[in-house]
Amino acid sequence: MNTTENTSAATAGTPGPAAGSQAVSAGHSRVPVLTVRGLTKTYGSGDTAVDAVRSVDLDVASGEVLLVMGPSGSGKTTLLLMLGALLRPTAGSIAVTGRDNRDVDIAAAPEKHLPALRSHTFGFIFQDYALLDALTATENIAVAANLAGTTGSAAHHRATELLDRVGLEHRATARPSQMSGGEQQRVAVARALSNDPPVLLADEPTANLDASRGRDLARLLRRLADEDHRSVVIVSHDDRLREIADRVLWLEDGQFRQIASMTIDPVCRMSVERTGAHLEWHEQTIWFCSEGCKREFAENPDSFQP
Amino acid sequence: MKGRSEGSVPITRRFLINRPVRTAAGAGGIGLALMLMLLLAGLWVGVQDRVTTYDDHLGADLVVVPAGTRSLFADPGVLPAPAVDTIAQTPGVTAAAPLRTMYQILELPHGKAAIAAVAFDPTSGLGGPWALSAGRAPHSADEVAVDTLWADQHTLAVGDRLPILGHPMRVVGLTDDTALFMTPLVFTTTTGMDQMLRATGTTGAVLVTTSDPGDVAERLRGAGYTVRTPAELHQASLDLATDIYGSPVRLMVGVAFAAGTLVVALVAYTRVTEQQRDLGVLKALGATPARLRRIAVAETVALTVLGTLAAVVLLLLTRELLAWWRPAFPVLLTAGTIAQTAAAAAAMALLAAWLPAHRLSRLDAASAFRSGR
Ligand SMILES: Nc1ncnc2c1ncn2[C@@H]1O[C@H](COP(=O)(O)OP(=O)(O)OP(=O)(O)O)[C@@H](O)[C@H]1O
Ligand SMILES: [Mg+2]
């Protein structure tokens, strides 16, 4: 399947097959790398229990870029943590196909297998980059290679190669504190690639970047899916990421919702459901994330493009 | 451990170098605590050396003491003066010489001073001073030799007068290595002391030389005498010092050890807390709990090693300072003391590292994603 088609499908707002109890699937000819069934996470218990993710089904194919959007507190990070073997689900299964083509159920894997799963199967990209400030750019990448079993000059070589790939070969000996946010995030992407993982997981990767750096990063993630056939799961509020996504899923209250019913708040550019704050303008119903955005729009409608 | 991380990025070293001031402060704190332990241990060894210095320089093979006497200075008694001749004639005895030892309080121009007085027989060569920094050993009844450090403290020099029991004795020599723990040794002749005490019919103890101490001791005991070897007297002095100072010293060493362990623990804990985000990131990247623990333990051990080096440097400085300020209190470092302190440091490091390592095993791998929120 070619990327252009996919991307246009996503930007047009056409959803993947319906969400809900049915699996949200890439569907097409590609092999699923991640197969999630009935995934549930409840924090705490009793009166204080929070159902952060509720019985989610999901398939992610290799080479696919999946964007999960949703309001704050909807369970995006929780979902991503479970996918990456960083958080034990309360129920459900997560089958992942490793580089060796073997399937492992992360949800049921014994605790002692998790470190190896993390270091061999996943590349993580964090919102605040999460680089180690005591290490240089090269060392930050080499350390992840070390954890995946590559040591010595091989790890160093790999780190150098990856820095080159993200266009930072000239910053090899710089410390994170000496780099710009964009540079740090590119080092973080290089680090996520150091173990050559089949799956990249990114939580709000563009949140701390300005518009143009955010777009650069988005393109870089797209390339990693296309060129290396990696699955990329991005969790974000950032609408700009829709451009590179094959699919966009809307998570709310721990469940996927029909994205077809979604529309964009013209003020904050967030995807919103067709419920709550809205007004009529030029014979069109416009929906907002909050009364605040609605008021802002009402004061000066011409400055926003619905 | 080394083999497996061979060629890996040296995370522990980077962590230590990254914040040199904190590393130095941590190592310095550990160093101070260890220094305190070394200092106390060194002082204790010094005390033990001081309280036995006279026992170790008697020059005799056996010492006949009054019944019940265990230690020369602490519980002296009297023997009849003719005992010296009787003992000298015992088969196997090469020489026998009288000796008196006692604590005395001297009235000096600027106050009172406690001394350990020794009256020996200058003709015998037994029980007298063994090292002199000035002058000579006393020969006649009105002569004394006093400890050099004490003489310095009281501005006494050879030729000065020193009143003992109301008699103006003449200082003829200054002796070295003769500061007991709290009191200096002051040497007089037995003739002089007997006169001062008006006790010419008695003596305190009898120093005996012989080539066959075992048999001679048996024979003397058979004749009703109480016989001690210098080693027994040495031990008695040690026991006495331990009775008096042992518990407080052990208590202080214990407190220093506890304080040291707490300091190391606090330093280790603070570092791990500071590095929690970094360690969480490593965990998210696939570091096993064992590997994270190794990083924390290696860091604690490295800090403790640095701290131990700092302790030695601090101790050498303190020792110089003390030698200048209170020369009678030597700080003696034996291989044993250093080994004990190193063992204590290792124990501290392991005890202290357990805490953060324990904390790490509960470290949430997800925390890396949640940081910055
Ligand atoms: N460790 C935790 N203990 C208890 N509740 C938690 C915990 N982590 C998250 N939650 C709750 O679970 C829900 C989902 O949280 P999550 O962080 O997954 O949301 P999110 O979609 O990533 O939000 P945001 O966009 O603000 O990052 C929220 O209600 C949150 O308060
Ligand atoms: Mg989140």
Side-chain angles (χ1 to χ4, degrees):
Chain A
M1 149 151 308
N2 99 41
T3 316
T4 329
E5 252 181 67
N6 260 329
T7 309
S8 57
T11 35
T14 316
S21 60
Q22 190 189 338
V24 181
S25 155
H28 318 291
S29 56
R30 286 189 286 204
V31 220
V33 172
L34 274 172
T35 310
V36 175
R37 292 293 175 269
L39 195 63
T40 299
K41 179 69 193 182
T42 307
Y43 289 113
S45 59
D47 290 347
T48 57
V50 177
D51 294 319
V53 171
R54 305 162 192 244
S55 194
V56 160
D57 296 346
L58 175 69
D59 292 328
V60 185
S62 79
E64 181 185 23
V65 176
L66 171 68
L67 174 63
V68 176
M69 302 189 75
S72 185
S74 58
K76 303 184 296 296
T77 297
T78 304
L79 174 66
L80 202 72
L81 290 174
M82 289 191 287
L83 295 184
L86 292 175
L87 182 67
R88 192 57 84 186
T90 310
S93 67
I94 306 165
V96 61
T97 314
R99 279 268 181 249
D100 55 2
N101 277 329
R102 292 229 318 264
D103 279 358
V104 182
D105 181 2
I106 294 173
E111 195 66 35
K112 66 175 193 288
H113 291 172
L114 296 184
L117 260 171
R118 289 175 200 137
S119 64
H120 288 101
T121 314
F122 300 105
F124 295 101
I125 299 162
F126 305 88
Q127 171 179 347
D128 65 350
Y129 327 127
L131 298 174
L132 271 54
D133 208 50
L135 308 184
T136 63
T138 312
E139 287 171 337
N140 262 290
I141 302 164
V143 123
N146 291 161
L147 291 171
T150 311
T151 55
S153 55
H156 195 83
H157 192 77
R158 173 109 185 114
T160 312
E161 201 176 84
L162 287 168
L163 269 184
D164 198 19
R165 182 157 186 201
V166 297
L168 283 176
E169 58 283 4
H170 60 292
R171 302 295 275 147
T173 57
R175 297 291 197 76
S177 57
Q178 300 163 333
M179 289 187 276
S180 73
E183 287 173 331
Q184 289 185 59
Q185 195 56 302
R186 278 188 281 162
V187 174
V189 171
R191 179 179 67 184
L193 296 174
S194 65
N195 54 349
D196 191 23
V199 183
L200 285 178
L201 301 172
D203 192 1
E204 312 271 9
T206 57
N208 290 339
L209 302 179
D210 64 33
S212 95
R213 303 241 186 285
R215 209 171 307 116
D216 288 347
L217 183 81
R219 292 205 190 104
L220 176 59
L221 292 176
R222 179 73 252 173
R223 271 213 321 276
L224 296 176
D226 293 343
E227 293 170 11
D228 309 345
H229 303 289
R230 297 182 210 279
S231 310
V232 181
V233 179
I234 308 169
V235 145
S236 181
H237 286 113
D238 187 350
D239 232 34
R240 296 168 296 184
L241 287 166
R242 283 168 172 271
E243 291 170 24
I244 58 131
D246 296 309
R247 271 191 303 154
V248 180
L249 296 178
W250 184 258
L251 193 68
E252 200 166 327
D253 285 335
Q255 284 176 314
F256 287 125
R257 294 282 157 85
Q258 261 300 355
I259 204 153
S261 68
M262 310 293 304
T263 170
I264 305 276
D265 177 332
V267 178
C268 66
R269 311 293 312 169
M270 276 199 1
S271 297
V272 290
E273 276 198 286
R274 291 169 198 277
T275 56
H278 64 277
L279 52 72
E280 298 297 322
W281 189 66
H282 288 309
E283 293 169 8
Q284 212 183 337
T285 309
I286 299 176
W287 301 86
F288 302 93
C289 71
S290 63
E291 288 295 334
C293 278
K294 176 178 160 184
R295 219 172 304 122
E296 215 175 305
F297 182 87
E299 280 165 14
N300 194 0
D302 290 322
S303 64
F304 302 103
Q305 295 162 356
Chain B
M1 166 172 169
K2 186 81 195 174
R4 240 207 297 169
S5 49
E6 185 65 37
S8 295
V9 176
I11 297 173
T12 306
R13 206 184 318 153
R14 293 288 186 272
F15 278 170
L16 287 171
I17 298 170
N18 191 36
R19 291 178 146 180
V21 176
R22 283 184 194 230
T23 302
I30 294 170
L32 264 175
L34 286 176
M35 191 277 274
L36 192 62
M37 285 185 63
L38 268 176
L39 186 64
L40 284 168
L43 272 170
W44 180 232
V45 174
V47 167
Q48 292 179 323
D49 176 73
R50 290 297 85 205
V51 296
T52 55
T53 184
Y54 188 64
D55 304 312
D56 295 343
H57 290 96
L58 287 171
D61 300 306
L62 296 170
V63 184
V64 176
V65 295
T69 293
R70 291 184 62 235
S71 154
L72 288 178
F73 290 98
D75 50 3
V78 287
L79 289 171
V84 182
D85 285 339
T86 318
I87 292 166
Q89 275 144 35
T90 305
V93 170
T94 331
L99 177 76
R100 272 189 203 275
T101 48
M102 73 202 75
Y103 287 119
Q104 281 187 358
I105 307 288
L106 301 189
E107 298 278 357
L108 295 177
H110 44 275
K112 295 185 178 186
I115 60 155
V118 171
F120 71 105
D121 177 2
T123 59
S124 71
L126 299 177
W130 53 94
L132 288 148
S133 66
R136 56 171 175 80
H139 293 327
S140 55
D142 68 339
E143 292 178 346
V144 288
V146 303
D147 176 60
T148 307
L149 297 173
W150 187 74
D152 281 352
Q153 215 178 327
H154 294 273
T155 55
L156 282 171
V158 172
D160 287 351
R161 291 282 169 179
L162 178 68
I164 298 181
L165 298 170
H167 296 262
M169 307 295 273
R170 204 155 50 83
V171 177
V172 294
L174 301 180
T175 59
D176 271 340
D177 190 23
T178 45
L180 299 195
F181 173 46
M182 295 290 236
T183 50
L185 285 175
V186 171
F187 293 89
T188 63
T189 60
T190 32
T191 334
M193 185 60 83
D194 291 351
Q195 283 171 11
M196 283 190 277
L197 295 171
R198 294 179 224 283
T200 41
T202 62
T203 189
V206 181
L207 298 172
V208 176
T209 56
T210 168
S211 54
D212 188 3
D215 280 359
V216 169
E218 271 317 299
R219 230 163 275 149
L220 288 172
R221 283 194 188 106
Y225 292 109
T226 305
V227 185
R228 308 264 187 245
T229 61
E232 284 169 342
L233 293 172
H234 172 109
Q235 191 56 46
S237 299
L238 273 189
D239 290 349
L240 200 69
T242 309
D243 278 352
I244 303 171
Y245 309 113
S247 305
V249 167
R250 266 196 299 275
L251 183 71
M252 284 193 287
V253 170
V255 168
F257 179 79
T261 309
L262 276 179
V263 169
V264 184
L266 205 67
V267 168
Y269 196 75
T270 314
R271 290 195 74 95
V272 167
T273 308
E274 277 174 8
Q275 287 158 5
Q276 195 159 7
R277 174 185 162 278
D278 284 356
L279 294 169
V281 170
L282 288 173
K283 188 163 187 179
L285 295 179
T288 57
R291 179 153 188 158
L292 295 178
R293 274 200 294 274
R294 277 208 300 276
I295 292 174
V297 170
E299 217 172 319
T300 310
V301 168
L303 278 171
T304 310
V305 169
L306 287 175
T308 309
L309 294 179
V312 170
V313 172
L314 283 169
L315 183 75
L316 293 178
L317 289 176
T318 312
R319 191 161 77 155
E320 287 308 302
L321 209 70
L322 211 62
W324 166 77
W325 183 52
R326 283 281 185 273
F329 295 95
V331 176
L332 294 187
L333 283 182
T334 61
T337 320
I338 293 173
Q340 266 174 16
T341 310
M348 280 177 187
L350 290 180
L351 267 178
W354 179 83
L355 202 68
H358 178 72
R359 181 168 182 170
L360 280 183
S361 53
R362 288 183 294 128
L363 183 67
D364 183 8
S367 62
F369 267 93
R370 299 215 187 270
S371 63
R373 296 300 146 91

